[in-house]
Amino acid sequence: MSDTQDPSHLSTNVDEKVSSLRSHLSTNDECGTTHYNLAVALMGKKEYVDAENELHEAIDCSPSLAEAYVLLGGICLQRNDLEGCYRFNQRATKARAGFAEGYGNMAFVLLQLVDGKDAKEDEEKVDKAIKHLRKAIIHNKNFVQAFTTLGTAYFMKGLIPEGIKANLEALAVEPKFPIAHNNLAVAYLESEEYEKAIIHCDQAVNLGFEVAPALLDELAPHRKA
């Protein structure tokens, strides 16, 4: 018998979960966790409008449910509403002190908002992102994505050694994190440390990361025959 699950069976499972959660809410509409779980299930069905409504219900019932704010931020991101995404993640950090994911997401948004139109404003966004990422790491020392995003922020400021250090710290948490390997390959290439660049580039490729063709082309002359 094949281990592959029938997609229609998976869909049925989600439908059953949605039905069960709605049934539970019909008898207890003030359970924030149930509204949140229903929203997650609805997002699995790509019913984002209904999911958004359930997330607002979850927050009304449980204002400290930081995960609900983060999901609302994710829905905003799908709509390319970066400011909305930032606002909801900020509310997540206020709803629960030390909520690392909220700080990490705010930093991600700030880096996306760097557009090259105003150098001073761009620098302020990057600096603010770095502060958020440092907070995220303080609250969750195993937050591997925060380390790689921090590395990206440093690279954007031209601080290559600091960016390398942040990505190496990401690998200390998760040695097979492909984004960190790719970032290190790019950074070591810029630093003309070709052997290290090749090692990390190959690691990223072996882990299934889609490395930029330009990176492969630039490293090709430096590979030993």
Side-chain angles (χ1 to χ4, degrees), residues 141-145 147-148 163-185 188 196 199-201 203-204 207:
K141 298 185 185 304
N142 293 320
F143 194 173
V144 64
Q145 293 90 345
F147 283 110
T148 54
I164 288 173
K165 181 175 182 291
N167 280 281
L168 288 173
E169 288 174 328
L171 292 180
V173 175
E174 176 49 69
K176 294 184 178 181
F177 195 60
I179 295 173
H181 284 293
N182 178 76
N183 292 350
L184 286 166
Y188 282 129
K196 290 181 180 179
I199 290 171
H200 286 287
C201 178
Q203 285 272 30
L207 290 167

Side-chain angles (χ1 to χ4, degrees), residues 193-212:
E193 297 184 67
Y194 301 117
E195 185 175 347
K196 290 181 180 179
I198 290 168
I199 290 171
H200 286 287
C201 178
D202 291 349
Q203 285 272 30
V205 170
N206 291 337
L207 290 167
F209 189 85
E210 190 174 345
V211 172

Side-chain angles (χ1 to χ4, degrees), residues 11-209:
S11 178
T12 300
N13 286 344
V14 175
D15 289 338
E16 289 177 351
K17 185 172 184 178
V18 167
S19 178
S20 174
L21 289 166
R22 281 181 168 153
S23 176
H24 183 75
L25 287 171
S26 68
T27 60
N28 180 14
D29 191 44
E30 297 183 358
C31 180
T33 301
T34 305
H35 282 293
Y36 173 81
N37 289 336
L38 176 55
V40 172
L42 289 168
M43 289 180 74
K45 290 165 61 66
K46 298 183 179 180
E47 296 180 11
Y48 298 114
V49 174
D50 287 344
E52 186 174 10
N53 291 334
E54 292 300 329
L55 288 168
H56 283 292
E57 290 286 349
I59 290 168
D60 287 342
C61 297
S62 303
S64 63
L65 191 56
E67 291 84 358
Y69 294 106
V70 167
L71 283 189
L72 283 168
I75 291 174
C76 287
L77 195 60
Q78 288 183 332
R79 297 171 179 161
N80 203 32
D81 177 8
L82 292 173
E83 291 182 1
C85 181
Y86 185 92
R87 184 174 62 253
F88 278 119
N89 278 281
Q90 186 177 48
R91 290 178 67 183
T93 62
K94 292 181 183 301
R96 185 183 306 162
F99 191 60
E101 187 176 354
Y103 287 113
N105 290 343
M106 283 194 290
F108 171 80
V109 170
L110 286 167
L111 296 181
Q112 296 300 307
L113 289 171
V114 172
D115 54 18
K117 294 179 181 178
D118 187 309
K120 184 178 179 181
E121 286 187 4
D122 284 347
E123 185 176 4
E124 288 174 351
K125 290 170 187 173
V126 175
D127 287 342
K128 193 172 183 179
I130 289 172
K131 289 180 181 178
H132 285 321
L133 290 163
R134 286 174 175 165
K135 285 183 181 179
I137 291 167
I138 287 171
H139 294 302
N140 181 359
K141 298 185 185 304
N142 293 320
F143 194 173
V144 64
Q145 293 90 345
F147 283 110
T148 54
T149 307
L150 179 60
T152 298
Y154 282 135
F155 292 148
M156 292 172 74
K157 287 177 68 68
L159 301 173
I160 305 304
E162 290 84 349
I164 288 173
K165 181 175 182 291
N167 280 281
L168 288 173
E169 288 174 328
L171 292 180
V173 175
E174 176 49 69
K176 294 184 178 181
F177 195 60
I179 295 173
H181 284 293
N182 178 76
N183 292 350
L184 286 166
V186 174
Y188 282 129
L189 173 62
E190 188 168 337
S191 301
E192 299 184 356
E193 297 184 67
Y194 301 117
E195 185 175 347
K196 290 181 180 179
I198 290 168
I199 290 171
H200 286 287
C201 178
D202 291 349
Q203 285 272 30
V205 170
N206 291 337
L207 290 167
F209 189 85

